[in-house]
Amino acid sequence: MRSPILAGELIHLSRSPRTWALRAGLAVFLASAAAIAWPWSGEASGFQVRGQALFQIFFWSEFVAGFVLIPAMVAPAIAWERERATLDLLSVAPVTDFDIVAGKLVANGALTAATLAAGLPVGVASLLLGGTTPLLLLTTTIGLMLHGFFAASISILMSASSDRAGTATGLALVTLIMFSALSAVLGMFAMAAVGGFAGKSWAFPAFSLLCPWSVAIRDSFMARSVTWIDRGLAWGAHLAEAAGALAIASTVLRNARSPRSRGGLALPPRKDSPSIPMAFFARPAAPANAMVPVTLAQPASGPPRPPAVAPPSPAFAPWRNSRLPISGNPVYWKDRAFDDSPARQVLTVFAAIVCGGSLAANGLYWVISLAASGAAPPAAGHFLLTFDLLIAIILTIGAGASTLGPERDQGTLPILLATGLPAREILRGKVLASLRSISPALAVALLHAAFAAVTLGRFGPLAAAAFLAGLVVPFTLACAASLAVGRPQRAAAAAAGSLFVLWAVPSLAALPFRGSAPLLTSLNPFGIILRSVSAASDGSMAKPHLLASLIFLAASAAIAAASLAGAVSALEARVRR
């Protein structure tokens, strides 16, 4: 291969066990979903319905998996080099900055595409059953590929802009969510404006240009309103946005290079500074009139006289130091005072801005609609609550995975358990400190949920309760996984996988039986919120969906309580050892 960066990355990544585990996991899931939807009865009348269900499974599995896997696999590419202090060594190689960015992107993107290709047999099976047409399968696949290319370009841009792999991954996820939400809002406004001035025939092309990812979704539902003009504008927008992200990534990488790397190899950053400044615990200097230990002269004979030691001054007790205001739970105080996770702080601020923009857009839409109609405003703008929920879930999983995981990973959990604090107090301090670290973004997201609870009528409290359950369950699962797994990255992956099994698998399994199994399709917070928004517009909600929502809330409370109780029991078992 001509590019040494591409060759080295492909050799390194192809040997990674994680790549093969992801391929196998996605293939097993898609095979299981296809087996559920497959027409085993052999009745020809059900072939087309089951084929359409298979096509929906293919599209949404690829769309959601790509939305999550692409940032997780591509975003750490350059950030890992900077984190291991090898980026300066890579920069002095005879390659350009664009070669580094393109090599990392192509290598990681190729392996991600090979992983996602496991879903193509499901799409072909839907074609054989008559669930779609060859043209729709081709256009949907092209739309998924271009959307994945755009997501990979945004991920590599965040990787070039971040110092840590976790920061890059989180920023890539939040950026993609923010882009999806803002492009949908701008597309709706543009569609209304262009449709009013140029006619309805240009409304959907304007929406496709500003919200290109929506064209693939409309193709998956076989919407007849999708034209080749819509597809061309959407595909061109994806390519232009991806090219701009790659150009910015090359510029950021060139500007972020160490100044010494242009004249020679740059030394790696110093890592000898402690994470907790021990000088902070130093005792203050004794005052001039303080009593100090004095050793008296010993007599020539007789028993030795003990030294006269002055009583300890309150200033010498570190827990009475005015600079160490320890009160309440000491674990919470320690994690709050010495929070050394700048990645979480950056993601929290970024998420708070995104959630604030979503709340402002929803509120503005509500006020304008109320002023224009004078009656009850439409509830369509509340669908933005699902984007805030997705962002908050990412934050809560990261915060929950970092409660006890770093203590196990660094070997400090036995020291923490040796302090004599009850396991319940240790976990409570960790949980409170983790929630406090993401409190700005959580406050804005919960404010949006409260706004929905007030303005959605009688279905508002149900949507707000589902939103709250969608935050509590991921956080508690991540807390339990952090103690069971250890490393925060693995704990976050375990919590995300558990959520996928709890929320996505029932909905995907119910796709072939959509008419007879509404209970399964409502067992997740996103479905409950969207159904509440739809019910607020229609004025009623079907009883099976309402029953499913109540079951989901009760099950969420049980899962959260069981996760926390399991974590406390596991900690107590470690204390008894």
Side-chain angles (χ1 to χ4, degrees), residues 195-260:
F197 288 102
K200 294 183 179 180
S201 60
W202 291 99
F204 275 113
F207 184 78
S208 303
L209 180 63
L210 294 176
C211 188
W213 55 272
S214 65
V215 174
I217 296 178
R218 289 158 58 196
D219 266 339
S220 69
F221 285 103
M222 291 177 282
R224 296 182 178 179
S225 59
V226 183
T227 63
W228 282 105
I229 296 178
D230 297 333
R231 297 188 182 102
L233 290 174
W235 297 348
H238 270 319
L239 291 176
E241 291 162 353
L246 291 178
I248 296 174
S250 301
T251 304
V252 169
L253 185 62
R254 181 173 61 253
N255 295 336
R257 186 183 297 179
S258 173
R260 287 176 291 172

Side-chain angles (χ1 to χ4, degrees), residues 30 132 138 218 227 241 260 275 328 438 514:
L30 288 172
T132 184
L138 177 62
R218 289 158 58 196
T227 63
E241 291 162 353
R260 287 176 291 172
S275 58
I438 59 173
R514 183 184 299 270

Side-chain angles (χ1 to χ4, degrees), residues 338-378:
F338 303 109
D339 184 12
D340 57 348
S341 178
R344 195 188 308 167
Q345 296 173 4
V346 172
L347 290 177
T348 300
V349 173
F350 197 29
I353 295 174
V354 174
C355 293
S358 176
L359 175 59
N362 191 8
L364 182 62
Y365 177 77
W366 188 84
V367 171
I368 293 176
S369 301
L370 180 63
S373 61

Side-chain angles (χ1 to χ4, degrees), residues 400-405 408 474-488 490-496 498 563 567:
S402 62
T403 50
L404 295 169
R408 276 199 58 185
F475 182 76
T476 54
L477 287 176
C479 289
S482 68
L483 182 60
V485 178
R487 292 188 177 182
R490 294 180 180 178
S498 301
S563 300

Side-chain angles (χ1 to χ4, degrees), residues 165-480:
T167 308
T169 304
L171 286 176
L173 284 170
V174 174
T175 303
L176 288 175
I177 295 172
M178 180 185 67
F179 171 81
S180 302
L182 293 181
S183 62
V185 173
L186 293 176
M188 287 190 298
F189 280 112
M191 184 171 62
V194 173
F197 288 102
K200 294 183 179 180
S201 60
W202 291 99
F204 275 113
F207 184 78
S208 303
L209 180 63
L210 294 176
C211 188
W213 55 272
S214 65
V215 174
I217 296 178
R218 289 158 58 196
D219 266 339
S220 69
F221 285 103
M222 291 177 282
R224 296 182 178 179
S225 59
V226 183
T227 63
W228 282 105
I229 296 178
D230 297 333
R231 297 188 182 102
L233 290 174
W235 297 348
H238 270 319
L239 291 176
E241 291 162 353
L246 291 178
I248 296 174
S250 301
T251 304
V252 169
L253 185 62
R254 181 173 61 253
N255 295 336
R257 186 183 297 179
S258 173
R260 287 176 291 172
S261 65
R262 295 194 174 106
L265 297 180
L267 296 176
R270 294 186 58 184
K271 297 183 178 180
D272 54 351
S273 57
S275 58
I276 298 179
M278 299 309 296
F280 191 71
F281 291 98
R283 296 185 298 179
N289 58 352
M291 300 177 65
V292 295
V294 179
T295 303
L296 302 179
Q298 300 293 333
S301 60
R305 183 178 301 176
V309 180
S313 172
F316 284 90
W319 54 86
R320 294 184 181 180
N321 191 335
S322 60
R323 293 180 296 173
L324 298 176
I326 300 179
S327 61
N329 192 305
V331 178
Y332 168 71
W333 173 85
K334 187 265 295 183
D335 285 358
R336 183 193 66 179
F338 303 109
D339 184 12
D340 57 348
S341 178
R344 195 188 308 167
Q345 296 173 4
V346 172
L347 290 177
T348 300
V349 173
F350 197 29
I353 295 174
V354 174
C355 293
S358 176
L359 175 59
N362 191 8
L364 182 62
Y365 177 77
W366 188 84
V367 171
I368 293 176
S369 301
L370 180 63
S373 61
H382 290 291
F383 82 94
L384 293 175
L385 191 62
T386 56
F387 292 98
D388 287 4
L389 177 59
L390 187 57
I391 295 174
I393 286 175
I394 295 173
L395 283 180
T396 52
I397 288 179
S402 62
T403 50
L404 295 169
E407 303 289 347
R408 276 199 58 185
D409 196 19
Q410 299 169 6
T412 56
L413 185 59
I415 301 176
L416 188 62
L417 297 176
T419 58
L421 289 172
R424 189 181 301 274
E425 290 298 314
I426 293 176
L427 185 61
R428 186 171 71 89
K430 288 287 185 180
V431 167
L432 291 177
S434 297
L435 290 177
R436 185 183 184 276
S437 64
I438 59 173
S439 57
L442 282 184
V444 179
L446 291 175
L447 184 62
H448 197 175
F451 176 74
V454 174
T455 57
L456 271 180
R458 57 176 179 165
F459 301 103
L462 180 62
F467 187 91
L468 185 61
L471 298 183
V472 173
V473 172
F475 182 76
T476 54
L477 287 176
C479 289

